[in-house]
Amino acid sequence: MVTGSAIFLVYLMFSLLVAPSSLPFLRGHPPSTSDLNILLLQLVVLYYLTLLITVLFLPIGGTYLITVFTACAFIGWLIGAIDEIVNKDNQAHQNEMSTTDEPGEDSQPTESTPLVQRSSGTTTEDDGHHRAIWFIQLLLVVPVPVILVSHIGVILLGAMPQGIVDGGPVWIVYAGISLIATLLILPLAPFIASYPHVAPLPLVRPFQYLNSPKTLFRVVLVAFVISVAYTSGLLGILLSPTSSPSARRAFPFSVILPMKVFFQQKVEIIAPWVTQEVDDTASVKFKTRSTTYLTGLPHYLEKMIVPALPSAVNSSVECIRDNDRKELARCGWSSGDNMLPSPGNVSSYKYSADTPPHAQVLTHNPWLQSKIQISSANTRRIRIRGINTRACRVYFDNAKVAKWSVVGGKPGVQKGREESGTKRDEGLTELRVWSRTWDKEFVIDVTFVKSPQKVKGRVACEWSEYESGRVGLNDGIKSTIPAYEEALRFFPRWATLTKLTDGLVEVWSAFEV
């Protein structure tokens, strides 16, 4: 319906620009078919200038269509120009003949002089000729560009539905729809201004009233108003004012085309880093801070989705503009200890006893193990290992990485690239490591651009395995993400969940070495 509204609006605008006398609320001289060739010539010039710009100044692909548009408009103009030249010659010849055959002023009527003078029928023949030429030009100029633009429009509109919900700029979607609508109506614009007084094709009732440009303008105007009311939701409010917004007509999302909402849960491990490994996990005291985040379109997320989740009802929900997706809102709230994720098989997890001297060791916890060793003033060796996961990360808050390497890492697509560097002195603030095997311990050697006295950062691991997603897998791993399960259960049917980043859950702990 948005595309239809755009097409109707472009048609009304062209009618106002090129044929104001055909509007029902304006008076003026009716449009003449002689204006068609002038408008077609202007269309040819417009297409040709656009073609030159795209070839000389904007070397982009996909502009071959403008060549086809130019050729169609030129052929239509050429037919009209030839017909106009031929008509002028015929008109001059007819004027000479009428002057020769015209009786003198002194001639008296006789018995053979008819009482009623008969017309020659030239006017009727000229009208039929003009209608035929108008219709031929219409077939040459309009169908081919409209078919090509329609195909592109189908592809373009099929690629853009998720653009807004993914956080893309709204104006790009509307600009694409407006461009398609303009290219569809532009070949038709010259014919709006030169619509014949008698329609080129006979129409049956009630469509015969569309032969009038003013009637056609009224029909398009009514269709535009109805389509705008439908897409804006005003029509749904008028038809069903007491129903919920999602049950009204023209609600933008459905079960087939749901709204995408991004999910992520972050768990902070508040625990001390010790200088030696602690074997008695029962004696370790640590705290956790669990926060659930949902990212999506602001209105629907804040008004309809977040209030439906039980864990958010009694919590202080904070919604801010997302940093990565500028058009989306990010709502977060404390999900509590009841929503803590479990990687599964925690009791069978064995901690590594290999502790380097003078290394800082993260206190035992059910999620990850990390050790950080100072190799030199400008380098650090970081060990990180997660339970039942293959992806981990290291964030740096006050230092930038100039070079880093994974000890024992296998070469990837480019052999010999186990060691990675950065351009000049830009540096990195985040490292992501991934293994094909579970429970892998990553040993990362990091060299900083300029190391501060104490490097501050975070070690983290990611999880995406949840209980209902593992139904049917008899591997004995009982991993759970209660916050994600809650969202799956209480989410509206017109919305769907997806992960914000690599993992549904990120468990992290801050360090200072």
Side-chain angles (χ1 to χ4, degrees), residues 97-109:
M97 294 294 296
S98 61
T99 303
T100 304
D101 297 340
E102 184 179 356
E105 297 179 356
D106 298 336
S107 60
Q108 299 295 329

Side-chain angles (χ1 to χ4, degrees), residues 197-278:
H197 302 296
V198 180
L201 291 177
L203 299 176
V204 297
R205 292 185 178 182
F207 300 103
Q208 63 181 1
Y209 298 103
L210 295 178
N211 290 338
S212 171
K214 294 185 178 181
T215 304
L216 185 59
F217 182 88
R218 294 189 185 98
V219 172
V220 174
L221 181 61
V222 172
F224 171 72
V225 173
I226 295 176
S227 62
V228 170
Y230 183 85
T231 54
S232 64
L234 179 61
L235 188 62
I237 296 175
L238 295 177
L239 295 178
S240 53
T242 59
S243 60
S244 61
S246 59
R248 294 171 183 166
R249 293 183 178 274
F251 189 73
F253 306 106
S254 63
V255 179
I256 300 176
L257 299 173
M259 169 185 164
K260 187 187 299 182
V261 180
F262 300 92
F263 174 90
Q264 186 182 35
Q265 184 183 20
K266 289 190 175 183
V267 179
E268 178 186 3
I269 301 175
I270 307 174
W273 289 67
V274 296
T275 56
Q276 60 181 357
E277 190 72 18
V278 179

Side-chain angles (χ1 to χ4, degrees), residues 3 7 142 145-147 149-150 179-188:
T3 307
I7 294 175
V142 176
V146 169
I147 292 174
V149 174
S150 299
L179 179 62
I180 294 298
T182 303
L183 293 177
L184 283 174
I185 301 299
L186 186 59
L188 191 63

